[in-house]
Amino acid sequence: MSAKTVLICQSKACRKLGAAKVLAAFLAHPVPDVNIIASTCLGQCGNGPMVLVEPEHIWYNRVHPDEVPAVVERHLKNDKPVVAMLYAKFHPK
């Protein structure tokens, strides 16, 4: 498995929607070869908290801390993005 980076927006708009708790939830579920980064604005204000998984360029929006374990288990550990949580703007159904 190649190294992944998870960017969790910590801009003002995302923080108002709970992004700090989303970041804390990812940090509480460490995965080998996965870097968790508190990022600056990801340019999708109003749709957050935003989470971007690289290098696949997979976007999740309106992420709640309770949803983080599903992303960790399915996507980060098993390479299967959580389809129901994907950001429709970049991942149309």
Side-chain angles (χ1 to χ4, degrees), residues 40-75:
T40 56
C41 183
L42 294 171
Q44 301 302 313
C45 296
N47 294 294
M50 296 301 302
V51 174
L52 174 59
V53 181
E54 297 288 17
E56 304 109 300
H57 216 62
I58 301 290
W59 290 81
Y60 294 104
N61 71 310
R62 293 193 171 95
V63 178
H64 190 273
D66 293 346
E67 297 172 317
V68 169
V71 175
V72 170
E73 287 301 318
R74 292 191 219 168
H75 189 164

Side-chain angles (χ1 to χ4, degrees), residues 6-29:
V6 180
L7 301 166
I8 300 102
C9 180
Q10 296 297 302
S11 73
K12 188 175 180 182
C14 281
R15 285 183 69 83
K16 279 186 181 177
L17 296 168
K21 289 181 180 177
V22 173
L23 174 61
F26 274 103
L27 292 172
H29 294 86

Side-chain angles (χ1 to χ4, degrees), residues 57-59 61 82-93:
H57 216 62
I58 301 290
W59 290 81
N61 71 310
V82 184
V83 176
M85 292 176 59
L86 295 177
Y87 186 29
K89 179 177 179 179
F90 297 132
H91 305 287
K93 295 190 181 181

